[in-house]
Amino acid sequence: MTHVVPADPQVLVTVKKKAQPSRSWAVLDSNGETTLLDVDKYAIMHRVNIHARDLRILDPLLSYPSTILGRDGAIVLNLEHIKAIITAEEVLLRDPSGEYVIPVVQELQRHLPVVNAINQGPEAIGHIDAEAADECVSPFEFRALEVTLESICSFLAARTLELETAAYPALDELTSLISSRNLDRVRKLKSAMTRLTARVQKVRDALEQLLDDDDDMADLYLSRKLATSSPVSGSGAANWYAVSPTIGSKISKASRGSIATIHGDENDVEELEMLLEAYFMQIDGTLNKLTTLREYIDDTEDYINIQLDNHRNQLIQLELFLSSGSVCLSDSLVAAIFGMNIPFTWNDNHGYVFKWVVIISGLLSALLFILIMSYARLKGLVGS
């Protein structure tokens, strides 16, 4: 008799929660203060004023390519594990407890507080390092965007370096010793390289697509659009700008004095273009490293195929010698028949025939062997 055990409702609830995407968000303001939110998508849509189709891009259960979208009041950013919404005043980062997201949160917490240090007097400025104090004024959304781009480019560059460190010695070992173990090792590395190349290519395509369209870049100027819709005084405008983060800012020198951006031409996207071009060059360099690694793998495969062809030719040569020997031995069958001590009526008084048969068989065998070897040399199966 079969007993049916009722399912535990708490277990069902746990399984159901695991099947749903994480609803946790980290909200970082211009002071670097972090607030954790556990809300549904409708609350996020109402908070940042974006559509459901834009928020769906950040769903970890759906496969969307890397994207940077500019909306009326927010930037929707989907770059690998970094899924964020950037406004003119705060950054919303999805799943802040993720293994690869925690360093991004820490970078934002460390560099965003520099934003308001200029407005807090000389004592606060004294806590800023010389490099940060020397960097340009930049909108909040650009500083947050720069942190995320720096993080994703550094992450992919680190993965590429790890792959190169493992791949090149494995390929050199394979060329010296062709074995099943080395072949399987290189196969796994090549699969990892293919997956990593696709990830880097997606990020590169997202930056290239954004750089090719000035209108899309203009949509990322959230502070400028906010100032246009709600004019403020000159002293208030400074709250939207501050020192850029110091994690290797690529535009600090060239865009010094860009505080005038808020009052400048709405079609002026030079500052953002310089920022995107810098990280585009960085991600393009990472892609070039992977391309070089792929070419090295292809060269190694060609070298291995040449070695296998050489071994195959040696086997063909051995087979040819064995076949030639078999043919030569088969011709001696006639002489063996005549040399048998069996009384044949046609063998009486014809003993001299045996000598001629042995001589002719030997000559035919030698001639046949010479013809076979000449044909093999002509076809390049054996060396001269």
Side-chain angles (χ1 to χ4, degrees):
M1 183 176 181
T2 304
H3 297 277
V4 179
V5 180
D8 189 356
Q10 294 183 354
V11 176
L12 295 178
V13 172
T14 303
V15 174
K16 185 176 180 181
K17 286 185 177 180
K18 289 184 178 179
Q20 295 178 351
S22 175
R23 303 195 314 171
S24 60
W25 293 79
V27 181
L28 297 95
D29 57 16
S30 58
N31 295 321
E33 297 179 357
T34 304
T35 304
L36 296 180
L37 299 179
D38 189 9
V39 296
D40 57 11
K41 62 180 181 180
Y42 301 103
I44 297 297
M45 291 166 52
H46 178 73
R47 183 185 183 98
V48 298
N49 192 23
I50 61 174
H51 296 288
R53 65 175 181 270
D54 297 328
L55 190 60
R56 196 176 298 117
I57 297 175
L58 306 181
D59 193 338
L61 298 182
L62 301 178
S63 178
Y64 279 92
S66 297
T67 309
I68 302 177
L69 299 177
R71 294 298 181 251
D72 290 338
I75 299 174
V76 181
L77 188 141
N78 177 28
L79 295 176
E80 289 291 319
H81 53 273
I82 302 178
K83 303 178 184 299
I85 302 175
I86 303 174
T87 68
E89 300 174 350
E90 61 185 10
V91 179
L92 286 81
L93 204 61
R94 184 158 200 166
D95 191 16
S97 60
E99 178 182 359
Y100 300 117
V101 183
I102 293 177
V104 183
V105 177
Q106 293 174 349
E107 289 295 333
L108 290 170
Q109 290 175 339
R110 181 160 50 249
H111 297 289
L112 289 181
V114 181
V115 173
N116 294 327
I118 295 178
N119 298 327
Q120 296 176 3
E123 295 181 359
I125 296 178
H127 295 288
I128 307 175
D129 56 22
E131 183 181 355
D134 186 57
E135 290 185 354
C136 69
V137 176
S138 183
F140 171 82
E141 62 270 19
F142 289 178
R143 294 194 304 275
L145 179 63
E146 186 176 6
V147 172
T148 56
L149 290 176
E150 177 72 22
S151 299
I152 192 63
C153 290
S154 300
F155 173 81
L156 294 176
R159 301 288 84 77
T160 302
L161 181 60
E162 292 177 358
L163 184 61
E164 288 179 330
T165 304
Y168 284 113
L171 293 172
D172 294 338
E173 184 178 355
L174 180 61
T175 55
S176 60
L177 177 61
I178 302 176
S179 63
S180 300
R181 174 180 172 275
N182 291 336
L183 287 173
D184 184 67
R185 181 183 177 189
V186 172
R187 179 188 62 82
K188 293 179 180 179
L189 290 173
K190 186 176 181 180
S191 300
M193 182 206 63
T194 302
R195 294 191 297 269
L196 182 58
T197 301
R199 296 166 62 186
V200 174
Q201 185 69 50
K202 289 179 181 179
V203 176
R204 181 187 181 278
D205 292 342
L207 294 177
E208 184 178 19
Q209 182 179 1
L210 191 60
L211 283 168
D212 289 340
D213 195 328
D214 290 348
D215 293 336
D216 289 344
M217 286 191 289
D219 289 337
L220 303 186
Y221 280 78
L222 304 180
S223 297
R224 185 163 62 188
K225 290 189 291 185
L226 183 62
T228 303
S229 60
S230 301
V232 295
S233 62
S235 60
N239 292 328
W240 288 323
Y241 297 90
V243 180
S244 295
T246 58
I247 56 172
S249 175
K250 306 296 192 306
I251 63 170
S252 59
K253 304 297 181 182
S255 60
R256 181 171 289 123
S258 60
I259 191 171
T261 303
I262 191 172
H263 302 296
D265 186 4
E266 293 183 357
N267 297 323
D268 183 15
V269 294
E270 181 180 359
E271 181 180 359
L272 178 59
E273 185 176 9
M274 294 173 64
L275 172 65
L276 296 177
E277 282 181 351
Y279 289 101
F280 175 80
M281 295 299 296
Q282 182 175 346
I283 199 69
D284 189 61
T286 302
L287 184 61
N288 290 336
K289 291 181 179 180
L290 292 172
T291 304
T292 303
L293 179 58
R294 175 180 290 276
E295 293 176 354
Y296 193 83
I297 292 178
D298 294 339
D299 293 341
T300 303
E301 291 178 348
D302 294 339
Y303 176 75
I304 292 174
N305 290 331
I306 293 174
Q307 282 189 326
L308 294 177
D309 291 340
N310 183 39
H311 295 325
R312 193 177 298 112
N313 291 336
Q314 292 177 356
L315 292 176
I316 293 175
Q317 180 181 1
L318 178 60
E319 182 182 4
L320 181 59
F321 276 110
L322 294 176
S323 300
S324 302
S326 299
V327 172
C328 294
L329 292 176
S330 64
D331 289 339
S332 63
L333 178 63
V334 179
I337 293 176
F338 280 93
M340 296 177 66
N341 296 324
I342 299 177
F344 292 110
T345 56
W346 49 269
N347 196 28
D348 296 341
N349 299 324
H350 294 87
Y352 63 91
V353 177
F354 174 74
K355 299 178 181 179
W356 286 107
V357 169
V358 173
I359 295 174
I360 293 174
S361 297
L363 292 175
L364 289 176
S365 299
L367 179 61
L368 183 60
F369 181 77
I370 293 173
L371 290 176
I372 292 175
M373 293 302 298
S374 299
Y375 179 79
R377 289 191 179 97
L378 181 63
K379 294 298 183 180
L381 297 177
V382 296
S384 57

